[in-house]
Amino acid sequence: MRNYGHRAIIPLLCSAVLLAGCAQKVVFRIGRPLVGTIVNLTIVAESEEKAAKASQAVFDEIARIERLLSPYDEKSDISRVNRNAAAKEVIVSAETFGLIERSVKTSDATGGAFDITFASIAHLWNYRDPNFRPPSDAVLRGALPLLNYRHIVLDEKKRSVRFANPRTKIGLGAIAKGYLVGRSIALLRSMGVTDAIVEAGGDLQVSGSRDGSPWTVGLIHPRTRNIIASIALESGEAIVTSGDYERFVIYSGKRYHHIIDPKTGHPAEGMASVTVLCPDPEEADALATSFFVMGKERTVRFLAGRPDVRVVLIDPEMKVSASKSLRGRVTFLEETAVDWF
Ligand code: AMP
Ligand code: MG
């Protein structure tokens, strides 16, 4: 059994025509396959023409970012780094450099739970392989030293990346979607679109509102895939989920998913779904992956210093806990016992 690219957060939309002030506005929804998922835009605009122009600009921008970061494009910055950075310094674009630099900072802040050098061992956990088998302990032990963000050597002046370990690789899968969602909302705003949702594979940011009421999204249950809660979002807020049901394979009755615990080299245990809300989608993305690895206790401790970051956690037994500050904004559709912390 295998599954890729399920969305964990979905926009909940009702009417398509809004009355904003006196002028009638229309809600446009358009999706396009990009960055290995479907990017969905919801745009409130005066005319179809304006919405089409704005959405095209966003899709072009996302395609541009994909060309910089995709590991499947051999000309991308990330592919060039992975090919050459063990032998020499590789100069990358300012955007790629910034993302790598912030990734390393997140590694420091999360005690190494977030680590883009996971890519050094990702081939051992290829959930896409029809003949998937978990790697042996010996193989994993041999590969684990490659996974360490301290192998990444950055030179800010030269904007260069080098690897201190000859077999280390990086991948920005845990942060790139959040980044491009944020860039997309900024682009829409610069084009005069104030009310919008950008969603890429469950990473989502909203701007403005839906005719004066908050944009509302649905949170998916990690096993039944039903919507279990609706969450009202403030303008500018981002919401991102990392889940063990997005990309995984079941082998001998055990679930092997796509988020690696850098300490063990195994798929992280202890969480089934981690949803993060905060103003910055890139940070929400990076933190959702980090908290998934860290588990509840470490996440709660981390959050003590970050009142601007809110979470809904679902553990493998489907027990739900959530930030107290979300009370009143999250509506559970079925009776759900929630540990508010
Ligand atoms: P997300 O869906 O944002 O949680 O990102 C998961 C993706 O990030 C995976 O498919 C991998 O590409 C990558 N990844 C896996 N484990 C880690 C980790 N510990 N730190 C950073 N990136 C990771
Ligand atoms: Mg992430």
Side-chain angles (χ1 to χ4, degrees):
M1 187 163 122
R2 53 193 57 245
N3 233 312
Y4 327 117
H6 270 279
R7 295 153 74 201
I9 297 285
I10 53 170
L12 302 175
L13 296 169
C14 305
S15 71
V17 179
L18 306 177
L19 291 172
C22 300
Q24 184 164 307
K25 291 193 169 188
V26 183
V27 182
F28 293 91
R29 294 212 64 203
I30 180 164
R32 190 159 305 171
L34 279 163
V35 288
T37 184
I38 309 285
V39 176
N40 291 297
L41 310 180
T42 304
I43 292 175
V44 182
E46 295 82 43
S47 69
E48 196 159 334
E49 203 186 339
K50 193 171 169 192
K53 201 169 153 205
S55 55
Q56 189 56 50
V58 169
F59 291 139
D60 288 349
E61 172 68 354
I62 293 174
R64 185 190 65 77
I65 296 169
E66 186 172 21
R67 283 194 294 276
L68 284 181
L69 306 180
S70 170
Y72 306 109
D73 180 342
E74 62 176 38
K75 291 203 215 92
S76 75
D77 278 352
I78 295 303
S79 296
R80 285 193 307 112
V81 165
N82 282 339
R83 257 196 324 271
N84 303 319
K88 59 177 188 199
E89 292 177 323
V90 178
I91 294 170
V92 295
S93 67
E95 267 176 297
T96 307
F97 190 86
L99 275 162
I100 297 173
E101 198 171 42
R102 293 192 294 281
S103 293
V104 170
K105 281 193 184 134
T106 304
S107 300
D108 274 329
T110 60
F114 188 87
D115 195 325
I116 57 174
T117 66
F118 83 92
S120 316
I121 69 157
H123 60 282
L124 299 178
W125 298 108
N126 184 6
Y127 47 84
R128 288 193 174 93
D129 180 354
N131 301 313
F132 173 85
R133 274 174 156 271
S136 68
D137 288 348
V139 167
L140 207 53
R141 249 197 322 274
L144 206 50
L146 314 179
L147 196 173
N148 189 335
Y149 68 94
R150 292 191 176 86
H151 295 326
I152 305 170
V153 183
L154 298 176
D155 185 323
E156 203 169 336
K157 274 206 195 91
K158 292 189 201 154
R159 259 205 272 114
S160 69
V161 186
R162 203 171 56 74
F163 292 149
N165 183 299
R167 285 160 60 213
T168 290
K169 304 266 182 276
I170 57 170
L172 296 177
I175 186 170
K177 277 195 293 205
Y179 171 71
L180 60 88
V181 163
R183 291 283 306 192
S184 302
I185 285 287
L187 180 60
L188 286 172
R189 284 176 164 171
S190 77
M191 295 182 80
V193 176
T194 50
D195 300 322
I197 307 177
V198 176
E199 184 255 328
D203 291 26
L204 180 153
Q205 187 179 20
V206 301
S207 175
S209 65
R210 198 187 138 270
D211 206 14
S213 333
W215 290 114
T216 302
V217 297
L219 179 67
I220 303 291
H221 187 279
R223 297 293 174 267
T224 66
R225 302 266 165 82
N226 293 331
I227 294 177
I228 52 163
S230 69
I231 307 177
L233 300 178
E234 292 162 4
S235 177
E237 199 166 29
I239 180 165
V240 171
T241 296
S242 284
D244 68 1
Y245 55 101
E246 292 168 332
R247 295 162 198 259
F248 68 94
V249 52
I250 304 278
Y251 178 84
S252 278
K254 192 167 155 49
R255 177 183 296 259
Y256 295 93
H257 61 78
H258 65 142
I259 302 174
I260 305 290
D261 181 343
K263 283 217 169 69
T264 64
H266 280 261
E269 289 175 13
M271 279 294 155
S273 161
V274 172
T275 299
V276 174
L277 293 94
C278 74
D280 176 356
E282 179 189 313
E283 185 172 36
D285 193 358
L287 288 180
T289 310
S290 306
F291 296 163
F292 194 100
V293 172
M294 288 157 74
K296 181 175 169 183
E297 227 171 89
R298 278 174 75 195
T299 299
V300 170
R301 252 183 282 139
F302 182 99
L303 289 172
R306 292 295 307 268
D308 55 323
V309 179
R310 300 171 170 88
V311 295
V312 180
L313 310 174
I314 306 179
D315 75 10
E317 282 74 50
M318 301 299 117
K319 287 207 196 88
V320 180
S321 47
S323 305
K324 258 198 193 109
S325 55
L326 282 178
R327 251 188 163 146
R329 278 217 281 149
V330 185
T331 310
F332 284 90
L333 308 182
E334 291 160 25
E335 198 154 312
T336 308
V338 181
D339 171 22
W340 299 97
F341 63 83

